Amino acid sequence: MDNRDYVRVPAINRKLREAEKENRTIIVSSPVGFGKTAAVQYFYRRKSALWLTGASCALSEMPAIGEIKQSTVIIDDVQWITDDESKEYIGRLIDDGRCHVVLISRSKLPKWLKPAFVMYKFHTADEKDLALDTDAAAKLLANFNVELPHEQVMRIVRDTAGHALSIVMIALNMQNKSEYNQDIKETARIDVYHYYDKTLYDMWPKDMIELFEAVSPFEKFSIELAEYITEKPGAMAIIDQAMSIGDFLTVDAERNFRMRNMLQDYLQWKIKTIDSGEMIIVAYRRAAEYFEEHEMTGDALEYYSKAGCHDKVSEILIKNGIRHPGVGHFIEFRKYYQGLPEAELLSHPELMSAMSMICSLTLQPEESEKWYERLEQYEKACTKGSHDKTAAKSLLVYLDVALPHRGTSGLTDVIIKAAKLKAMSNVKIPEFSLTGNQPSIMNGSK
């Protein structure tokens, strides 16, 4: 971008000025498109500065430190540097102190720079310092001959989080148009994604692409989950590499990683353009299998549902249907039960029993009794002595005792009847807790 077209952002200018005044190294970091290089170019447009780049994994040149005539050395694309000689040169340049050093990087701080960061107390600047506010966004739009009311500019800033590249793409799509709308927002978003194709995707190693695509459908992921989904070890090494070349991920105290929203959205779009989203379905199914193996039933149901594995959803719900409410997840899973086709519900006694219990727990006694009656009809229609008839009979006895809305009237007779049935036949009654699975019987439960 021509310096004459650059829109000055006060926050980044102030940080660059402070670092220069104190002669302390500053690292300017942000994801692609926030204008890191443009901001530094603008600030040093009339100053004596030597520009170097690490775009090819090593510094473009390494002049003798004592012979550098410029007062400032600016090193762009620091995130790509893997060459040990280049790393040592930057360390010596910072140690020397005669030149003010400005580092520009897509990653917050490469690991090899952390000792120098601590020792020399680098200044830092990130996307919060580079993001455009409403006034700056209006000026940038005006550079493309786009004049909009203040309210529309505010909406653009809100939609883009002040991301300069996104605002430029919006401006390009607003030529000869007078109003910003959802269609322009979506078109500009795709334009940004095409830019990412060249500046991100095409530059990533294959193993990083495979890992990122596999975990992109998930709000968060662990190393173990990533390796289960990809069926490959070494996820931590790939993530370390990813974090060294870009500000792509954050990690919480439980070592769960989260992908930045802009990158996650881009990868979801990319996957759909490559294979119509089939890769996402496979990732959902693998994740569901992982969660099922680790007895994280709620997560397993969520991702089996997303993967369209309705038989697995039904299987899990059937198992849950014979558990008592103290340990069964009837309320938590009710959307999955209610989401099953009625024909599926009516073909499994465990599912009808679960629906009766769910309706009772959610204060729908009439609906609960309807499902009880359907289970009765099912039991009567089954062949005498069949497994299905026995299962239905045991669940009817269970519901007679356990349905909350029926209260305690006549409960003694019901329990005696259940005991006789169990003693005289092979009916196995599901477990239930008369105290609501609580330590005291004086808690309002049966």
Side-chain angles (χ1 to χ4, degrees):
M1 180 185 291
D2 191 312
N3 282 328
R4 291 172 298 181
D5 295 328
Y6 177 75
V7 176
R8 182 177 175 275
V9 181
I12 186 63
N13 258 41
R14 184 171 59 253
K15 289 211 168 181
L16 289 168
R17 191 183 310 113
E18 289 172 358
E20 182 186 47
K21 182 179 178 181
E22 297 174 16
N23 192 28
R24 278 164 60 187
T25 299
I26 181 171
I27 180 164
V28 182
S29 62
S30 77
V32 173
F34 272 98
K36 302 179 292 295
T37 301
V40 175
Q41 283 177 336
Y42 179 80
F43 184 82
Y44 285 98
R45 67 195 182 283
R46 299 191 188 98
K47 299 174 185 284
S48 173
L50 170 65
W51 279 81
L52 306 175
T53 178
S56 61
C57 300
L59 285 173
S60 50
E61 56 179 307
M62 289 181 275
I65 292 173
E67 297 176 8
I68 296 175
K69 294 181 173 58
Q70 294 88 345
S71 58
T72 299
V73 178
I74 300 166
I75 306 173
D76 203 353
D77 290 311
V78 169
Q79 75 278 356
W80 294 118
I81 296 176
T82 56
D83 173 62
D84 289 336
E85 187 180 355
S86 298
K87 294 177 183 177
E88 291 170 7
Y89 178 85
I90 293 171
R92 286 188 283 110
L93 189 64
I94 294 169
D95 286 338
D96 183 76
R98 279 179 283 184
C99 294
H100 173 50
V101 179
V102 178
L103 306 171
I104 305 173
S105 175
R106 291 180 187 173
S107 63
K108 285 197 177 295
L109 186 69
K111 284 195 287 190
W112 55 272
L113 271 171
K114 286 183 179 178
F117 176 86
V118 173
M119 183 178 296
Y120 295 105
K121 299 179 181 177
F122 289 8
H123 278 276
T124 60
D126 58 24
E127 65 261 35
K128 294 190 295 294
D129 304 299
L130 293 157
L132 304 186
D133 61 15
T134 305
D135 290 340
K139 290 176 184 176
L140 181 57
L141 290 165
N143 285 343
F144 293 87
N145 300 313
V146 176
E147 302 283 347
L148 294 173
H150 183 72
E151 293 75 16
Q152 288 196 39
V153 178
M154 285 179 64
R155 182 182 165 196
I156 289 172
V157 171
R158 185 172 61 250
D159 287 347
T160 63
H163 185 237
L165 176 63
S166 295
I167 296 173
V168 168
M169 294 304 183
I170 288 171
L172 293 174
N173 281 282
M174 289 207 63
Q175 302 301 306
N176 303 316
K177 295 176 183 175
S178 59
E179 185 178 355
Y180 172 68
N181 55 38
Q182 190 67 20
D183 289 342
I184 290 172
K185 174 186 173 182
E186 288 304 308
T187 304
R189 182 174 67 91
I190 302 304
D191 289 342
V192 170
Y193 291 166
H194 287 306
Y195 185 90
Y196 287 168
D197 280 344
K198 299 299 181 186
T199 57
L200 291 178
Y201 196 88
D202 291 350
M203 300 176 75
W204 287 340
K206 183 181 178 182
D207 57 358
M208 189 182 300
I209 290 174
E210 290 176 351
L211 178 65
F212 273 10
E213 288 179 339
V215 299
S216 65
F218 305 97
E219 181 183 345
K220 62 182 180 179
F221 63 92
S222 64
I223 295 297
E224 188 178 11
L225 175 60
E227 292 182 342
Y228 191 98
I229 293 171
T230 59
E231 301 182 87
K232 292 181 180 178
M236 191 68 245
I238 298 171
I239 287 172
D240 276 345
Q241 183 185 15
M243 295 180 84
S244 73
I245 64 174
D247 189 13
F248 301 129
L249 304 167
T250 59
V251 59
D252 62 26
E254 297 178 350
R255 300 296 292 168
N256 287 313
F257 293 87
R258 295 175 187 269
M259 195 172 285
R260 292 180 67 102
N261 290 340
M262 291 177 72
L263 177 65
Q264 187 174 31
D265 292 344
Y266 162 69
L267 286 168
Q268 294 284 279
W269 169 82
K270 186 67 178 176
I271 290 170
K272 289 172 183 175
T273 65
I274 293 171
D275 71 346
S276 302
E278 182 61 30
M279 195 183 303
I280 296 175
I281 299 301
V282 172
Y284 283 152
R285 180 177 53 76
R286 291 286 297 159
E289 291 169 358
Y290 170 86
F291 289 127
E292 186 179 15
E293 285 183 16
H294 288 76
E295 298 184 354
M296 301 167 70
T297 312
D299 290 322
L301 278 172
E302 178 183 352
Y303 290 107
Y304 275 133
S305 295
K306 288 182 175 181
C309 299
H310 303 300
D311 55 336
K312 289 296 297 182
V313 171
S314 183
E315 179 185 317
I316 291 172
L317 293 178
I318 288 170
K319 290 178 182 177
N320 185 73
I322 61 174
R323 306 176 77 188
H324 72 77
V327 293
H329 301 281
F330 292 95
I331 298 299
E332 299 93 320
F333 297 166
R334 68 184 182 278
K335 68 176 181 180
Y336 299 110
Y337 281 106
Q338 293 166 348
L340 290 173
E342 185 166 297
E344 178 76 5
L345 292 169
L346 293 173
S347 25
H348 295 282
E350 298 86 356
L351 296 179
M352 286 182 275
S353 172
M355 285 298 293
S356 181
M357 180 58 70
I358 288 167
C359 291
S360 183
L361 291 169
T362 55
L363 307 181
Q364 301 176 78
E366 295 85 0
E367 286 297 310
S368 176
E369 292 298 339
K370 284 180 183 178
W371 282 107
Y372 181 91
E373 289 170 11
R374 288 173 176 176
L375 182 57
E376 273 189 320
Q377 293 165 6
Y378 178 93
E379 187 270 333
K380 289 174 183 176
C382 288
T383 304
K384 186 176 181 180
S386 68
H387 170 78
D388 288 340
K389 190 175 187 71
T390 301
K393 187 177 293 186
S394 69
L395 287 166
L396 287 167
V397 173
Y398 158 71
L399 291 175
D400 286 338
V401 177
L403 284 176
H405 74 271
R406 290 190 177 179
T408 57
S409 177
L411 189 58
T412 302
D413 292 338
V414 171
I415 293 175
I416 291 171
K417 178 183 174 183
K420 287 180 178 178
L421 181 66
K422 182 173 177 57
M424 296 170 61
S425 66
N426 61 348
V427 171
K428 183 179 180 182
I429 301 172
E431 66 171 20
F432 53 84
S433 170
L434 298 185
T435 64
N437 216 36
Q438 297 297 315
S440 169
I441 62 170
M442 303 299 290
N443 60 14
S445 296
K446 288 187 180 182

